[in-house]
Amino acid sequence: MKFYKSISFTFSVRYLALLGTLLLVLGCSVYFTLSKRLYNNLDTTLRERAEQVVRFRDVMEIVAKGSFEEEPGEILSFYYYTNDKKLKDLTLKERRISVSPEQVDQILAGGESDFSFAVTPDGKILRLYSTLYSSEHAKDGTGPVPKVEPGDKRITVERAVLVIGRTTKNIERTLDQLFQTLVLVLPLTLVLMGCCGIFFLRIILRPVQDISDTAQDIGAKDLSRRIPITTHDELGNLAETINHMMERLEKAFRRQKELTGDASHELRAPLAVIQAEATLSLQQEREPSSYQKSLEIIAGESDHMAGIISQLLFLARADSGNEMAEITEVDLVPFIRELSDYIEPLFQEKQQTITVHQTGSVIVKADCSLLRTVMLNLLRNATQYTSEKGNISLSITTENSMARISVSDNGIGISEEALPHIFNRFYRVDKARSRESGGSGLGLAICKHIVELHQGQISVTSKVDKGTTFLVSLPIA
Ligand code: ATP
Ligand code: MG
């Protein structure tokens, strides 16, 4: 049943209409080509015959005597002016062809030989060829010398117009027959080719129907289904392309689900702490200091939640492509100096040292506050994942029209297995340790997005227990 559904009624009608038009065009072109060819042949025959006739010696005499041997269906006339300027004609067997005096004058005056049509009184159509005849031809001509009987009047004409014609009866008959054949054959061909075409199209398009059926069955909840690839032709390629697209969609949906799960998980932990503290405080009356402690914990956890939510909002805006970057020229030297002053207390807390290396002014085109977010995330990570009294270094160099900002530490480092994942959202190498320090695993994902927004790159190299280096490359302004 599906097989018969695979080609629609509208498609069949369109196919038949196209096929019909093609056959009609084909029929018309056959008819007109043949007609043109037949008339061309007739014209060539007429021209050759006229050339032959004008070369007959004293042909006008022969015609006048009625002894000219005409070919079947041929009509022949000479038009000339007598000495007293009267237009006369010399016609074979009195079968007169009407030619206008203007046409005669034109050819006599040296005009070109001409083809035309004429209709005989009995309704037959004639194809005519008019050309110049000169008595010079007669003198040097070939053919039989006409017998001149005593008393015969010689026709002394120097120039005349030879009009030679033949009926187009045979051509018309052939074209009529062709027309009748076409009228009969074309509809039959249309029906036959239409049926065969639709039959084969159904077979060819069956895989398309299968693809469309499977695509229809695939819902947002069942993205794991794939279209079976049965052929290795264009349709097989189409199915493969759709399968690849489904794979990408499935991955994106899965990631989205994981992200939602991770986000709720991240938010559930501080929320549980807030709820527990509040419930405990309300259970019985306590010392003011105990309330103070609970409120401090609640405030801390709320801060943590607010941080995650604002990071998530940033990434959601980034995903929708709605975030606006205010690009200006930023000189990295004062920018980094101001940043390291700002972050200094954080390093002092852990008695860490920060060294800044820079050679000279390097200007990049960037959104100053977004670039600040990147650098703060990297520097916070550096201090967070480096033990007390550790060293952190920050350097700015240039290479191939790119500014390179590197943040290195001699902290705990990142394992080789973890390195490819650290820019993923909510990814943390050591979940417990990171959670302790308030990290949610979104910082580097945000950094990567911002750097790419600036047509830059961010990369990392690290060795466990040796240290980590993050390298940010940004195009120089
Ligand atoms: P937050 O969203 O608050 O930044 P986070 O620091 O845990 O949380 P990221 O900054 O994205 O998240 O870092 C992801 C993980 O990469 C971290 O949890 C940590 O395990 C690892 N990491 C990042 N920077 C360093 C570093 N300099 N040294 C060692 N590990 C690091
Ligand atoms: Mg971080």
Side-chain angles (χ1 to χ4, degrees), residues 342-404:
Y342 172 79
I343 205 144
E344 186 82 47
L346 210 68
F347 292 102
Q348 275 170 4
E349 237 175 66
K350 286 178 95 177
Q351 296 166 25
Q352 292 162 336
T353 51
I354 175 158
T355 3
V356 180
H357 305 276
Q358 65 203 32
T359 41
S361 146
V362 179
I363 296 170
V364 291
K365 272 196 169 167
D367 180 311
C368 200
S369 86
L370 290 178
L371 192 59
R372 192 180 158 84
T373 308
V374 174
M375 294 315 298
L376 281 178
N377 270 328
L378 295 180
L379 289 168
R380 274 203 196 108
N381 279 354
T383 172
Q384 207 167 327
Y385 304 108
T386 302
S387 53
E388 285 191 3
K389 297 188 178 148
N391 293 318
I392 287 118
S393 81
L394 199 114
S395 83
I396 305 164
T397 51
T398 55
E399 196 183 306
N400 298 336
S401 69
M402 297 291 269
R404 293 157 77 87

Side-chain angles (χ1 to χ4, degrees), residues 75-311:
I75 284 175
L76 187 135
S77 285
F78 283 96
Y79 287 81
Y80 60 94
Y81 281 101
T82 56
N83 287 341
D84 50 352
K85 307 271 184 243
K86 273 192 187 152
L87 182 63
K88 282 210 138 204
D89 71 289
L90 189 62
T91 303
L92 197 65
K93 293 184 186 158
E94 296 306 317
R95 284 188 288 178
R96 193 176 297 276
I97 309 164
S98 61
V99 175
S100 67
E102 291 80 28
Q103 208 175 336
V104 173
D105 290 346
Q106 192 201 330
I107 293 177
L108 282 176
E112 286 203 358
S113 307
D114 193 18
F115 286 102
S116 57
F117 283 102
V119 185
T120 59
D122 53 347
K124 279 184 197 142
I125 300 169
L126 292 175
R127 181 71 169 157
L128 302 178
Y129 178 62
S130 318
T131 188
L132 185 69
Y133 166 79
S134 143
S135 57
E136 293 299 308
H137 293 128
K139 272 185 214 149
D140 316 331
T142 55
V145 182
K147 276 191 214 145
V148 183
E149 306 288 339
D152 269 0
K153 247 174 114 189
R154 298 270 328 206
I155 301 166
T156 47
V157 174
E158 278 191 10
R159 284 155 78 81
V161 172
L162 165 66
V163 180
I164 192 158
R166 284 203 183 169
T167 66
T168 56
K169 202 170 67 195
N170 286 345
I171 295 180
E172 278 161 36
R173 198 183 308 128
T174 312
L175 289 177
D176 270 357
Q177 279 169 356
L178 176 70
F179 182 74
Q180 281 164 16
T181 316
L182 287 177
V183 164
L184 202 77
V185 166
L186 283 187
L188 272 177
T189 317
L190 180 67
V191 171
L192 206 75
M193 282 181 73
C195 291
C196 291
I198 289 174
F199 179 76
F200 286 115
L201 273 176
R202 277 180 174 163
I203 293 177
I204 293 165
L205 290 180
R206 197 164 32 171
V208 176
Q209 186 62 40
D210 288 346
I211 293 173
S212 139
D213 285 350
T214 320
Q216 249 172 18
D217 287 350
I218 299 171
K221 282 186 190 147
D222 184 21
L223 288 168
S224 59
R225 276 197 63 182
R226 296 287 177 270
I227 296 160
I229 297 167
T230 46
T231 54
H232 292 283
D233 51 10
E234 288 78 1
L235 291 175
N237 286 347
L238 174 70
E240 219 168 322
T241 311
I242 293 177
N243 281 346
H244 284 317
M245 188 186 76
M246 294 308 304
E247 217 168 279
R248 285 198 302 274
L249 276 178
E250 193 190 2
K251 268 189 195 156
F253 268 92
R254 203 184 309 131
R255 238 177 95 62
Q256 200 69 35
K257 256 190 197 166
E258 281 168 10
L259 281 180
T260 321
D262 286 344
S264 20
H265 181 79
E266 283 303 319
L267 291 171
R268 216 171 32 215
L271 200 64
V273 176
I274 292 172
Q275 272 175 339
E277 279 301 324
T279 319
L280 217 69
S281 303
L282 290 171
Q283 261 172 6
Q284 60 187 76
E285 214 161 292
R286 289 164 183 274
E287 295 287 304
S289 60
S290 172
Y291 284 124
Q292 170 108 19
K293 209 174 153 207
S294 291
L295 283 174
E296 273 168 9
I297 293 172
I298 290 174
E301 292 301 320
S302 311
D303 269 359
H304 180 54
M305 276 173 77
I308 296 176
I309 289 168
S310 73
Q311 279 179 317

